Amino acid sequence: MDARPVGVFDSGMGGLTVLHELLVTLPHEDFVYLGDGARLPYGPRPLPEIRRFAQEIGGWLETQGVKLIVVACNAATSAALPDLQSELGLPVVGVITPEAHAAVQSTRNRRIGLLATEATVTAGRYAALIGTLDAGVEVFQVACPALVPLIESDDPYGAATVDAVRGYAEPLQEAGVDTVILGCTHYPLIRPILQRVFGRGVTLVFSAEETAREVAETLARKGIENGATRDGTYRFLTTGDPATFRAMGARFLQLPIAEVEHVTIAELEAAA
């Protein structure tokens, strides 16, 4: 039995959709979630800057005694996963590989679409991973800069969101994709809108369940899982405003959020 917690981080609150699945899959594990609210969004930022942020957070989580880190952010996974895996002395799991696997298994016509932030599209890791799994698959990528602000707004299911989704979906529909990867942890919150726009003939892939399964398998393989009979705990931290995190975070986690602790950027930088 290894009672150390699992660390999870994201640029803000979108990664709470991944944490939800981790809590369901691994109810006996403890989790520490850090949202970098002071520096969100990551999506429009240059990849080297996102990589630096991820390295700071990864280093800080390691100093907190976590046993594994989940990069619950597509942009940070795209920019920094190999660096984190080589620099940190513990396992690091990202969200892109499980989605790439799921999409290749799902597609019937070998035409896969990707909706993601600008940074994730620019990094090209989805296309590269999918190409290693099936070189015959065509990947069509669309950056969606308007979606995260809309999802975090007071009216995430309003007409503006529907119009934005229709605009971003159009080139993928014209390309004839039968599978679309939701390449941002925010997007599952508007999955009903996305499914309505694309129709039932298109499979939407979001890998929270696959990511949670990979974490469970990694903990077991490394022999660092917790006792299966205990009830796990979860702890929340943010570099942004704790009250904002608490209020909006429940929408993403779909579970109550009580206390939220504050971490300064200086603390993260000192750990890098």
Side-chain angles (χ1 to χ4, degrees), residues 2-10 15 18-19 21-23 25-34 57-58 60-62 64-72 90-94 211-212 214-220 222 224-227 230 232-237:
D2 190 329
R4 291 177 297 163
V6 173
V8 184
F9 79 87
D10 180 35
V18 177
L19 179 61
E21 293 301 329
L22 290 166
L23 294 172
T25 303
L26 298 162
H28 52 283
E29 296 288 350
D30 294 342
F31 292 92
V32 176
Y33 181 97
L34 173 60
I57 296 170
W60 185 84
L61 285 170
E62 188 171 33
Q64 301 303 297
V66 302
K67 60 187 176 184
L68 179 147
I69 291 175
V70 180
V71 187
L90 70 168
V92 184
V93 173
T211 301
E214 182 175 341
V215 170
E217 291 171 355
T218 302
L219 293 174
K222 300 286 186 181
I224 54 174
E225 67 266 59
N226 214 331
R230 65 184 297 280
T233 64
Y234 44 98
R235 174 184 168 210
F236 301 100
L237 307 102

Side-chain angles (χ1 to χ4, degrees), residues 13 42 44 46 78 81-82 126 161 168 175 225 230 235 237 266-267:
M13 287 160 282
Y42 281 9
S78 298
L81 185 63
Y126 277 103
T161 304
Y168 293 137
E225 67 266 59
R230 65 184 297 280
R235 174 184 168 210
L237 307 102
E267 290 177 81

